[in-house]
Amino acid sequence: MVYPELEKAKHSFFRMNQETILDIVRRNSDTEYGRKYHFSEVQTLADYDRLVPVCKYSDLQEYMDRIMSGEKDILFTGNLYAFAETSGSTQKRKHIPESEEAMKQYGNIVDRFPAAFARDHQGKRFFLSFLQSDLSLPHQETDSSVFSSIYYRYLADHGLMDLTTWVGEGPLNFFPEPCDYLYAKLWLAFASEDIITMETIFLYDYLLFFHYMESHFREVLKDMEQGRPSEQVDLPESVREALSRLPVSKARLDHIREVCADGFKGIVPRLWPNVQMIGGIVSNAFKVEELSFQRYIGKDPIPLWAYIYAASECLSAVPYNFDSYDYIFYPNMGGYEFRSVSDQKIYPPEELRIGEMYELILTSHAGLYRYSMGDILRIVGFYGQLPIFRFLFRKNLVLNIAGEKLDIETLDRAVRHWSEEQGVRIWQYFFYEDRSVVPSRYSGILAPDTGQSVPGTPPAGINDPSTGYGYHGMRGDEMLRYDAAALDRCLQRLSEDYRELRQLGSIDMPVIRYMEKDAFLRYKEELSLSTGQAKPQHIWRTETNENK
């Protein structure tokens, strides 16, 4: 069995979870944080609950900064492996320490199942996601990157991942710097007919990849025929050389051109007939991407593996089954408590109730103690004592197309800045993720606090040159693009992650339209957004409405 730990834990997880928490506390009792909260006095979970407060990232900011400056024994004992960069639930970038002990506990949990699957089916694995790390240079504990790059680098450095099973091996899966990685990935996929699995971190990446294929397959094939990537493509020289060395026959290139010319419906089995599994994080929030992605897979379903339930703070769970949104907690990765959404009390796993919603509270091997993750989960069952859950949404998260995690505060600040710059007072507004296009984008409906205004035309008064608003007689569609570009600048200024993803092309320019106040209220009513709450809702997301 790929995960024998699950079989061992299904009758003892409740005890194991308690032991994991108490062991982490004992090992770190002589840290500064441990002394502050009297870890040496913790003998039971009741002691832990009494002595150690639930915390969030802002409570630990000072400790994180000191660890980054090189101080030891602040939050955890032992060695630091690297820092994971994440935006979390605010616009400010977070730095989460990844300890050697945490990485050791994670082991090859993510890679184990796909690797075993590929060995069983005798084929190569295609990994789509961008991993930034230079394997030619030794790892440093001061390294800082997204968690996926750190984790896969750890696997590679510790012999826990066989890169020879991946097409492109190391040079075309770990990139030393940001670049046009979709170009490199498409070249790599075209050159590899015997792909058995297609794997990525987020399912959304597939939409970007196949959209890129539809738009650029001719240029990539032309460069492949010439044997070297175009100099106009932004690639590190090491990647350029590695692509140039990939063998590919003229017959293969002719076949690709012919297949693409016939359209992209069912392109996966037509170009890669041996594919037996698709991997990528899925949830109710990614249902649209999954349905869109089916167009490329064809009529015969290829099993979908939900990859992992994880965050920079911890790897916590693995998929329960193929073609399922459900995950099962993995023992010893960390210690878990659960804050009920209904009564805000904190419960151990043995007191969870099927059907209820909970926020995950984490105790990690890397210095997080009773850490409020912000993830809202619904318990859907148990495998023995192991909770099975479905991720619903991230608390306070507003918009998240490609990992930017734009929260309500940042969005509201952007709208206010935009309102001041454009001279348009906004009465109410909401945004949603428009996933009908690739790349996806933010779409906003705004009700100005002025006179009459209708969709596609300026609010009353703003075309008056005396106002200085800068429209100067623009047509309605021009004005909307002008306003959307201004909002885009505000969002990029306030959110580093949004800016980087816009520059990578993972998120498209936002679109906006105006509505009169009455029309806005009627529209909200149609979308079931009028909930009677005291404050306005600034996001519409179908899965949020279903699970509120």
Side-chain angles (χ1 to χ4, degrees):
M1 182 182 178
V2 175
Y3 298 125
E5 297 90 343
L6 297 181
E7 285 299 309
K8 294 177 181 177
K10 69 178 182 179
H11 298 303
S12 57
F13 178 70
F14 299 157
R15 173 182 54 80
M16 293 174 67
N17 186 65
Q18 295 180 33
E19 291 176 348
T20 297
I21 293 175
L22 295 176
D23 179 64
I24 290 172
V25 170
R26 280 193 295 268
R27 283 190 290 105
N28 296 285
S29 61
D30 202 30
T31 61
E32 183 170 324
Y33 197 84
R35 290 191 296 271
K36 178 177 180 179
Y37 290 107
H38 310 287
F39 281 12
S40 62
E41 299 177 23
V42 174
Q43 301 298 317
T44 66
L45 288 189
D47 296 335
Y48 192 49
D49 178 59
R50 175 173 54 86
L51 293 169
V52 183
V54 174
C55 67
K56 53 186 182 295
Y57 186 84
S58 58
D59 299 320
L60 304 176
Q61 181 72 66
E62 178 187 347
Y63 299 102
M64 301 295 188
D65 292 344
R66 291 171 60 190
I67 295 172
M68 288 194 70
S69 69
E71 292 190 52
K72 303 288 187 182
D73 298 323
I74 302 299
L75 289 173
F76 60 88
T77 59
N79 295 324
L80 174 71
Y81 182 72
F83 277 94
E85 295 182 357
T86 176
S87 64
S89 58
T90 68
Q91 78 277 10
K92 186 175 181 179
R93 183 176 295 279
K94 299 177 183 177
H95 290 86
I96 305 294
E98 306 293 344
S99 68
E100 287 274 7
E101 178 63 26
M103 304 303 287
K104 178 182 176 182
Q105 291 293 336
Y106 302 154
N108 64 346
I109 179 177
V110 169
D111 197 63
R112 197 188 309 174
F113 180 85
F117 187 93
R119 285 193 296 270
D120 288 345
H121 290 83
Q122 302 295 306
K124 290 277 190 176
R125 302 163 58 192
F126 174 61
F127 189 78
L128 174 56
S129 293
F130 177 86
L131 298 176
Q132 186 172 352
S133 186
D134 191 343
L135 295 183
S136 66
L137 298 176
H139 165 77
Q140 302 288 332
E141 69 173 25
T142 54
D143 288 349
S144 182
S145 187
V146 295
F147 177 76
S148 54
S149 291
I150 291 169
Y151 176 65
Y152 277 101
R153 174 64 188 264
Y154 179 86
L155 296 182
D157 285 350
H158 289 76
L160 297 173
M161 180 176 63
D162 184 2
L163 285 171
T164 64
T165 66
W166 291 18
V167 293
E169 301 186 6
L172 293 176
N173 288 289
F174 289 88
F175 293 75
E177 59 194 64
C179 62
D180 291 339
Y181 78 98
L182 286 175
Y183 176 99
K185 294 293 185 178
L186 184 56
W187 183 308
L188 180 60
F190 278 168
S192 310
E193 187 174 4
D194 63 338
I195 290 174
I196 201 74
T197 71
M198 301 186 78
E199 303 165 36
T200 189
I201 296 170
F202 291 103
L203 196 73
Y204 178 74
D205 291 341
Y206 288 121
L207 286 185
L208 294 178
F209 175 74
F210 286 107
H211 178 70
Y212 185 90
M213 182 191 296
E214 291 184 79
S215 302
H216 297 284
F217 77 90
R218 293 180 182 86
E219 302 98 286
V220 175
L221 288 174
K222 180 180 177 182
D223 292 346
M224 292 179 75
E225 287 177 331
Q226 295 176 352
R228 184 170 177 83
S230 166
E231 295 299 325
Q232 313 230 329
V233 179
D234 180 18
L235 293 174
E237 189 59 31
S238 60
V239 173
R240 195 179 299 277
E241 291 295 330
L243 290 174
S244 301
R245 291 193 298 268
L246 280 178
V248 58
S249 68
K250 184 178 184 303
R252 171 67 177 168
L253 296 177
D254 290 342
H255 174 66
I256 294 170
R257 185 175 286 106
E258 180 181 341
V259 169
C260 291
D262 286 341
F264 287 81
K265 186 176 181 179
I267 194 76
V268 170
R270 289 190 290 133
L271 281 184
W272 302 282
N274 298 323
V275 170
Q276 300 294 313
M277 185 187 81
I278 302 292
I281 292 176
V282 293
S283 72
N284 287 329
F286 296 106
K287 184 65 176 176
V288 173
E289 287 87 349
E290 183 184 352
L291 293 174
S292 299
F293 179 55
Q294 294 299 321
R295 177 170 77 89
Y296 300 105
I297 294 179
K299 293 182 180 179
D300 296 327
I302 298 173
L304 176 64
W305 183 248
Y307 186 69
I308 191 71
Y309 170 75
S312 300
E313 291 86 354
C314 187
L315 295 182
S316 298
V318 294
Y320 182 60
N321 212 336
F322 276 118
D323 299 320
S324 172
Y325 292 149
D326 299 340
Y327 292 92
I328 183 168
F329 277 105
Y330 206 88
N332 301 324
M333 298 293 101
Y336 310 113
E337 299 172 275
F338 303 84
R339 177 156 49 197
S340 170
V341 171
S342 60
D343 64 18
Q344 293 298 299
K345 294 180 180 178
I346 295 179
Y347 296 93
E350 53 266 36
E351 295 182 26
L352 297 178
R353 294 168 54 176
I354 294 175
E356 294 292 316
M357 293 191 296
Y358 301 89
E359 179 187 1
L360 180 61
I361 305 297
L362 170 71
T363 295
S364 81
H365 293 281
L368 302 178
Y369 306 97
R370 310 197 79 201
Y371 183 86
S372 175
M373 290 288 291
D375 286 359
I376 306 300
L377 318 175
R378 174 173 284 133
I379 302 301
V380 298
F382 287 87
Y383 180 64
Q385 294 183 355
L386 290 161
I388 302 169
F389 67 91
R390 186 169 299 170
F391 171 80
L392 298 182
F393 53 89
R394 189 163 174 82
K395 190 171 68 173
N396 299 325
L397 182 66
V398 179
L399 295 167
N400 188 26
I401 287 174
E404 71 278 16
K405 301 177 181 177
L406 196 78
D407 65 289
I408 293 173
E409 180 184 357
T410 306
L411 176 63
D412 196 68
R413 287 175 63 202
V415 172
R416 283 187 281 113
H417 286 199
W418 169 87
S419 174
E420 293 169 2
E421 292 173 8
Q422 302 303 103
V424 181
R425 295 191 309 273
I426 297 300
W427 175 62
Q428 284 194 48
Y429 70 90
F430 70 88
F431 281 78
Y432 62 93
E433 300 158 4
D434 180 1
R435 298 176 182 273
S436 65
V437 295
V438 178
S440 298
R441 62 193 178 188
Y442 298 170
S443 184
I445 310 295
L446 302 99
D449 192 19
T450 59
Q452 292 293 315
S453 62
V454 295
T457 63
I462 66 173
N463 265 336
D464 183 353
S466 65
T467 64
Y469 293 148
Y471 295 104
H472 305 303
M474 291 181 183
R475 297 191 310 273
D477 56 344
E478 290 178 319
M479 184 210 71
L480 292 175
R481 287 194 293 271
Y482 181 91
D483 280 350
L487 176 64
D488 182 59
R489 290 193 295 273
C490 290
L491 289 167
Q492 292 198 47
R493 188 166 66 242
L494 292 172
S495 172
E496 183 176 358
D497 284 337
Y498 176 88
R499 180 175 68 252
E500 291 178 355
L501 289 164
R502 281 281 290 120
Q503 292 171 351
L504 282 172
S506 298
I507 302 175
D508 206 355
M509 175 78 73
V511 294
I512 61 173
R513 57 193 173 111
Y514 295 109
M515 279 188 176
E516 302 173 279
K517 292 179 181 179
D518 289 343
F520 182 87
L521 292 174
R522 289 195 299 270
Y523 193 48
K524 285 186 70 176
E525 188 71 31
E526 291 173 6
L527 297 177
S528 300
L529 286 175
S530 299
T531 61
Q533 296 181 8
K535 60 182 180 180
Q537 292 177 256
H538 288 159
I539 181 170
W540 174 53
R541 187 178 291 158
T542 301
E543 65 271 21
T544 302
N545 295 336
E546 290 174 349
N547 295 312
K548 65 188 175 187

